[in-house]
Amino acid sequence: MWQKILRDPQAATTLSILAVVFVLGALAPLIAPHGPNDADLGMVNAPVGTPGYPLGADESGRDILSRLLHSVNTAAVSALIGTSVAVAVGVTAGLVGGYFNRVTQSLTEWLFALLMTLPGVLLLVILMPVTGGDYRATMFIFGFLLAPGIYRIVRNLVLAVKNELYVDAARVSGLGTFRILGRHVLSIVRGPIIIAAAFMAGTAIVTQSGLAFLGVGSLEIPSFGAMISSGFRNLYIAPTQFLWPSLLLGVITASLVLLGNALRDTLEGSKPKPVKVGSGQRVVATTHVPDDEAPEALLTIRDLGIAYPGVSGELNEVVRGVNLSIAQGEVLGLVGESGSGKSQTAFSTLGVLPPEAVITSGSIRFQDREMLGLNDQQLAGVRGREIAYIPQEPMSNLDPSFRVGAQLVEGVRAATGTSKADARERVLALLDRCGISDPERTYDSYPHEISGGMAQRVLIAGAVASRPKLLIADEPTTALDVTVQAEILDLLRDLLEELDMAVLLVTHNFGLVADICDRVAVMKTGEIVEVGDTESIFAAPRHEYTRMLLDSILDEDTVRTDPPTTVEGATS
Amino acid sequence: MIPYIVRRLAAGAGLALVITLIVYLLIGTSFEDVARTILGQSATPEATAALLEARGWDRPILVQYVEWLAAALQGDFGASVYTSLPVLPEVLSRLAVTLSLIVPALLITATLSIVLGVWAASRGGVVDRIAQGVSVFGYIIPGLLLAIGLVVLFGVQLGWLPATGYTRFGDDPAGWARSITIPVIVLVVGGVANMSAQVRGRMVDELRRDYVRTLRTRGVSSRSIVLKHALRNAGSPALTVMSLEFINMFGAALIIENVFALPGFGNYAFNATLQGDIPVMLGISTFGVVLVTVVNLATDIANGWLNPKARVH
């Protein structure tokens, strides 16, 4: 870990600056020309460059350089005490609060929520009678005020690993679960704590300086705050007196903040970077397809390649040379294991690949129009209106903050431009058509107030609202209970007959394929290995992988092999 | 809703009770020092004892506390032991000064942070780097140094703004605005550094959620996705950050009030603590807790409005 940190230029630079400053501070008793409180009345406000007083002397005739060096020590001790207390308290409380029963949990949670809402500096001032103004005691208390940050990190981690560890821990006799948990958590939480410590050290130093500036504590203790205060009083007589401590304090805190940022980048990896919303998918190369090829198809995908950048920027292809076509009203099943690239193919057709994804080759033509390279605005007339989408996870695909009806109405209006009243009527009719018994009530519900099956009906209603020509359904039943799956399947089958839509059905459920698909394409590790009529694929699969997938349905029927992804936002 | 608010306020009152009791127990032992400070260094032990008896400070601390509490519940918070000025009007007028500083600072901070955070998260690239640069800049400059630097530049060198002092809004609105300009800038720089980074982070997360993808496939405009859907969902954590920022500013105002010689709440608390002025400290603790409780309650109610799942019934 340390090697990684030292290789980062920002971390290395700030660490070196801090090392130099703090080593000089530690050597202060040896290298400082004077004691921090040695006052020479003959030297009051001595200017910069006075022999023996390289940076001059302050209003009491004390050597500024010596006081600076000693102040570094005060800052270091403040940072050390504040940070250690915060880490010790935060880690302990995090382990206890995450591990023990619900009462302990909510009690620690309440305590730390309270700690966070205390106005720090004000509290430290009011507690002066307790600390006696000693900056070490003050920083000790301040450590408690800093602790909630660490507590949160540790507690969340404990809650996350607690249950899986229970199983293992039960098997290990001799060692208590709490100890195992502690060790395990501490090994993971080290990185985040080091990062937090850098920021906390900065906060502790700034707070101590602020208090010393106000005059809290002993005047004997040399500190940046006391020096800045004295310099501030002397601003008109000797402006440089104010400059030196400010400069050094600024350098130290800036180094700590920049170090913290650098540590965060190197230890936690780069966070997702924002991109311009609606700018469309990244396309590095496309394949030109002459107009006379497959003109009768509604959707034609040719030689599609999709890649994601790896750690060092190289592109890893997840979809390679995919060719697909769907005729008007045709239902095509796209089957394959998780990670075979079928969802990526579906997303690229909709123009909603994640921002990191890169299209490396190919062409996607819908109704004779090239779709690759279009941005959201250019796709506005197509998406929602001509091509629609049914997602896999019903809950995470509804905006939790808006009523169901309002979300659907917005989609209908965006696609068709009808009036609000018209859109409302249409949505209500569709909810009714999609088997929702009380459409008015669902219309006025928030997503968390309806069941998963209902939510999926809502999403289907949203997808077919504008009678699209092509429906892209990404595992529309997998996240649901088995009984609900059958109902949703019935609904889909009815809607297909009624609306005469073409469908790209992404699934790994061969039961579903046999039920509603005209043709099947089988995908494996990013490539299409077999395409054919549903009947012939079931009767005589040519590719070994297809045979394997077909065999597996006998064992597992409709049960998923991979765990469903968690519903994002459900707990927040 | 109403029972919920009552319950929260009651919890706040309970907290105020506990904190004032702690304050009383902590400082109640120093009445002798206070008496000697009032009488001066040359006071005889007899004179000190007489004063203690006259003020009732020689009785058990708990008895004194209960008495204070009984009076406080009727709105009588006593008077400063040094100036004899009643505590309640003084606390309220000091609080008004500090709030007249914090409230504008917080509103500006929130506005700038939302604009900057949303802009960075929905544009990316150069805009994002600029926003992050602004945030880092605000972080690395200690507020104390910024405050003094701005006083020196605008107050002393350029003479554009008063370097220190406070003008009441009621006396002269323009003068008030001028007197709080530099302090507000200092609070805003620190606040924006923190809050814009939070808003940006939440927006980046929200814009990657599944529902955003689904809305895009329905042809919903980018404008609506960013400003209506993602911002509303990012709003509730941002609001929590804002309430913490308020309390943070409430604490930071202490140093700012000192630099700019503003007669604020922090300044009042500081002087009272230095002198051990018990009635004033109790009044300050009570109103500090009340303020924090009200801010947290308001945050939770506003959160419920933004986030239907957190709504209280």
Side-chain angles (χ1 to χ4, degrees):
Chain A
M1 184 167 77
W2 290 109
Q3 279 184 341
K4 205 164 137 196
I5 293 171
L6 289 176
R7 245 181 282 137
D8 179 78
Q10 187 173 327
T13 314
T14 48
L15 267 177
S16 326
I17 293 173
L18 290 168
V20 168
V21 170
F22 285 117
V23 165
L24 284 177
L27 295 175
L30 300 174
I31 59 172
H34 304 270
N37 296 312
D38 294 353
D40 182 345
L41 287 180
M43 286 296 160
V44 167
N45 293 332
V48 176
T50 310
Y53 295 82
L55 297 180
D58 69 6
E59 55 191 348
S60 317
R62 295 174 296 190
D63 177 34
I64 288 182
L65 177 64
S66 305
R67 280 178 68 73
L68 271 182
L69 289 171
H70 284 281
S71 296
V72 170
N73 278 339
T74 309
V77 171
S78 306
L80 219 57
I81 296 177
T83 313
S84 328
V85 171
V87 170
V89 172
V91 169
T92 315
L95 286 174
V96 170
Y99 180 71
F100 288 107
N101 58 30
R102 208 154 265 287
V103 180
T104 325
Q105 270 183 34
S106 36
L107 193 71
T108 38
E109 186 60 26
W110 178 80
L111 261 176
F112 276 84
L114 185 68
L115 265 184
M116 270 183 93
T117 55
L118 293 173
V121 184
L122 198 59
L123 187 78
L124 294 177
V125 163
I126 293 182
L127 288 177
M128 254 166 23
V130 184
T131 59
D134 186 322
Y135 79 97
R136 286 163 300 193
T138 309
M139 282 298 118
F140 185 84
I141 296 175
F142 190 59
F144 283 84
L145 297 180
L146 286 173
I150 300 280
Y151 161 75
R152 283 275 145 80
I153 297 172
V154 176
R155 188 204 54 156
N156 290 343
L157 199 65
V158 173
L159 288 178
V161 298
K162 187 170 147 186
N163 292 325
E164 45 184 291
L165 271 169
Y166 257 129
V167 188
D168 291 349
R171 269 188 244 128
V172 184
S173 51
L175 268 182
T177 321
F178 190 69
R179 274 181 66 190
I180 299 174
L181 196 64
R183 271 193 210 167
H184 179 79
V185 168
L186 288 187
S187 68
I188 301 177
V189 91
R190 205 175 42 176
I193 286 183
I194 293 174
I195 297 162
F199 291 112
M200 291 191 305
T203 313
I205 292 174
V206 167
T207 305
Q208 196 276 326
S209 304
L211 289 170
F213 176 83
L214 292 175
V216 175
S218 160
L219 298 175
E220 297 286 300
I221 304 289
S223 82
F224 294 129
M227 293 186 73
I228 290 171
S229 168
S230 130
F232 188 43
R233 281 195 300 273
N234 260 352
L235 201 59
Y236 302 102
I237 307 163
T240 58
Q241 285 184 11
F242 163 71
L243 194 64
W244 305 118
S246 302
L247 214 57
L248 199 52
L249 175 63
V251 166
I252 291 175
T253 53
S255 298
L256 282 168
V257 171
L258 293 174
L259 174 65
N261 281 341
L263 288 176
R264 186 152 54 194
D265 289 347
T266 47
L267 295 182
E268 291 189 344
S270 48
K271 287 255 160 66
K273 283 207 176 67
V275 290
K276 191 164 184 284
V277 173
S279 59
Q281 303 179 123
R282 279 166 68 199
V283 179
V284 291
T286 52
T287 315
H288 179 69
V289 179
D291 284 342
D292 52 350
E293 263 183 48
E296 79 282 6
L298 180 68
L299 175 77
T300 313
I301 299 176
R302 284 279 172 272
D303 188 33
L304 180 68
I306 302 170
Y308 281 82
V311 194
S312 48
E314 79 286 357
L315 289 176
N316 302 321
E317 282 209 313
V318 295
V319 169
R320 272 181 309 274
V322 162
N323 292 303
L324 281 178
S325 69
I326 301 177
Q328 202 102 35
E330 184 184 40
V331 180
L332 174 72
L334 185 57
V335 291
E337 294 172 318
S338 303
S340 58
K342 49 193 197 313
S343 290
Q344 298 298 318
T345 307
F347 286 158
S348 67
T349 309
L350 287 157
V352 291
L353 280 173
E356 295 79 29
V358 179
I359 289 172
T360 51
S361 69
S363 147
I364 297 177
R365 290 175 76 91
F366 177 75
Q367 291 187 325
D368 284 335
R369 183 178 178 201
E370 179 59 56
M371 305 287 282
L372 289 186
L374 298 186
N375 64 25
D376 280 16
Q377 210 181 341
Q378 291 163 317
L379 283 169
V382 183
R383 282 204 299 224
R385 192 187 184 116
E386 309 265 321
I387 306 183
Y389 166 68
I390 302 176
Q392 176 174 0
E393 295 286 344
M395 275 309 179
S396 65
N397 278 287
L398 287 168
D399 182 341
S401 297
F402 286 86
R403 291 177 203 274
V404 164
Q407 298 185 39
L408 295 189
V409 163
E410 188 179 5
V412 169
R413 295 194 66 199
T416 59
T418 59
S419 74
K420 220 170 191 168
D422 270 2
R424 183 190 145 89
E425 212 131 288
R426 193 191 288 199
V427 166
L428 280 171
L430 271 164
L431 289 176
D432 187 38
R433 173 66 196 86
C434 288
I436 286 170
S437 48
D438 189 351
E440 296 267 357
R441 191 171 148 188
T442 306
Y443 186 96
D444 284 326
S445 297
Y446 284 100
H448 71 276
E449 294 168 341
I450 61 177
S451 70
M454 275 249 256
Q456 192 61 299
R457 289 177 196 273
V458 166
L459 285 163
I460 291 173
V464 300
S466 53
R467 295 186 162 251
K469 294 200 172 72
L470 174 64
L471 182 66
I472 295 179
D474 185 7
E475 311 239 13
T477 59
T478 12
L480 305 169
D481 290 344
V482 179
T483 45
V484 184
Q485 280 189 7
E487 290 169 26
I488 295 290
L489 187 57
D490 283 342
L491 170 63
L492 276 177
R493 202 189 297 111
D494 291 352
L495 284 173
L496 291 186
E497 272 171 30
E498 200 175 304
L499 300 173
D500 189 33
M501 297 175 290
V503 180
L504 175 62
L505 177 67
V506 175
T507 182
H508 62 266
N509 182 344
F510 266 101
L512 195 54
V513 171
D515 212 340
I516 55 176
C517 290
D518 302 319
R519 282 195 309 138
V520 189
V522 181
M523 238 182 140
K524 185 193 179 210
T525 57
E527 288 176 85
I528 301 238
V529 294
E530 185 166 0
V531 191
D533 293 335
T534 307
E535 275 172 35
S536 56
I537 293 261
F538 270 82
R542 277 166 299 166
H543 198 276
E544 197 188 332
Y545 181 68
T546 316
R547 277 198 290 276
M548 195 200 83
L549 285 178
L550 277 169
D551 286 345
S552 69
I553 57 167
L554 297 174
D555 311 329
E556 296 190 73
D557 198 22
T558 51
V559 181
R560 293 192 65 173
T561 50
D562 55 327
T565 48
T566 50
V567 181
E568 280 185 87
T571 51
S572 64
Chain B
M1 193 72 180
I2 304 277
Y4 172 77
I5 294 175
V6 170
R7 210 164 57 235
R8 288 288 301 268
L9 288 177
L15 187 64
L17 206 67
V18 173
I19 289 196
T20 47
L21 179 62
I22 293 174
V23 170
Y24 223 104
L25 293 177
L26 288 177
I27 357 171
T29 49
S30 55
F31 282 115
E32 272 196 51
D33 299 337
V34 176
R36 245 173 274 137
T37 315
I38 295 174
L39 295 170
Q41 287 300 317
S42 54
T44 59
E46 292 76 32
T48 314
L51 183 68
L52 284 176
E53 207 188 324
R55 298 265 175 121
W57 290 345
D58 55 344
R59 291 170 305 150
I61 285 174
L62 273 178
V63 173
Q64 294 188 46
Y65 175 71
V66 170
E67 240 174 48
W68 173 84
L69 191 65
L73 285 175
Q74 292 163 23
D76 177 12
F77 283 82
S80 160
V81 298
Y82 296 103
T83 62
S84 301
L85 288 171
V87 171
L88 188 62
E90 188 70 6
V91 166
L92 291 179
S93 91
R94 298 293 191 129
L95 206 54
V97 173
T98 300
L99 288 180
S100 82
L101 196 66
I102 295 180
V103 172
L106 196 68
L107 292 179
I108 296 171
T109 297
T111 313
L112 286 180
S113 298
I114 289 171
V115 169
L116 208 60
V118 169
W119 202 34
S122 60
R123 284 295 158 120
V126 181
V127 172
D128 184 40
R129 279 199 291 280
I130 291 172
Q132 286 192 288
V134 168
S135 170
V136 169
F137 172 79
Y139 256 118
I140 62 179
I141 296 210
L144 173 62
L145 296 187
L146 186 66
I148 296 177
L150 289 176
V151 168
V152 171
L153 183 63
F154 291 107
V156 180
Q157 298 289 334
L158 298 172
W160 290 351
L161 294 162
T164 56
Y166 180 76
T167 310
R168 280 179 196 287
F169 182 80
D171 296 346
D172 173 11
W176 168 77
R178 283 160 55 85
S179 71
I180 66 158
T181 299
I182 303 181
V184 165
I185 291 175
V186 175
L187 289 174
V188 165
V189 168
V192 168
N194 180 23
M195 202 173 154
S196 71
Q198 302 271 2
V199 172
R200 172 192 171 274
R202 295 303 307 202
M203 283 297 290
V204 169
D205 289 348
E206 284 304 324
L207 287 170
R208 285 175 171 259
R209 294 216 189 269
D210 287 352
Y211 72 81
V212 166
R213 183 173 57 217
T214 300
L215 287 171
R216 285 176 65 201
T217 66
R218 290 201 196 122
V220 173
S221 70
S222 302
R223 189 190 162 82
S224 165
I225 285 176
V226 172
L227 295 181
K228 193 168 150 191
H229 294 277
L231 183 56
R232 171 123 180 211
N233 282 292
S236 135
L239 206 65
T240 306
V241 173
M242 195 166 135
S243 76
L244 290 176
E245 198 55 55
F246 177 89
I247 289 157
N248 190 19
M249 284 182 180
F250 193 59
L254 173 60
I255 291 174
I256 305 243
E257 284 163 15
N258 192 292
V259 173
F260 297 97
L262 302 174
F265 193 73
N267 213 337
Y268 190 47
F270 183 61
N271 291 329
T273 312
L274 280 186
Q275 298 175 314
D277 198 335
I278 293 167
V280 175
M281 291 177 73
L282 289 171
I284 280 167
S285 309
T286 310
F287 280 88
V289 173
V290 167
L291 190 71
V292 169
T293 305
V294 169
V295 167
N296 286 337
L297 178 62
T299 310
D300 287 351
I301 290 172
N303 251 336
W305 175 71
L306 276 174
N307 174 8
K309 258 191 270 183
R311 212 159 281 178
V312 282
H313 296 286

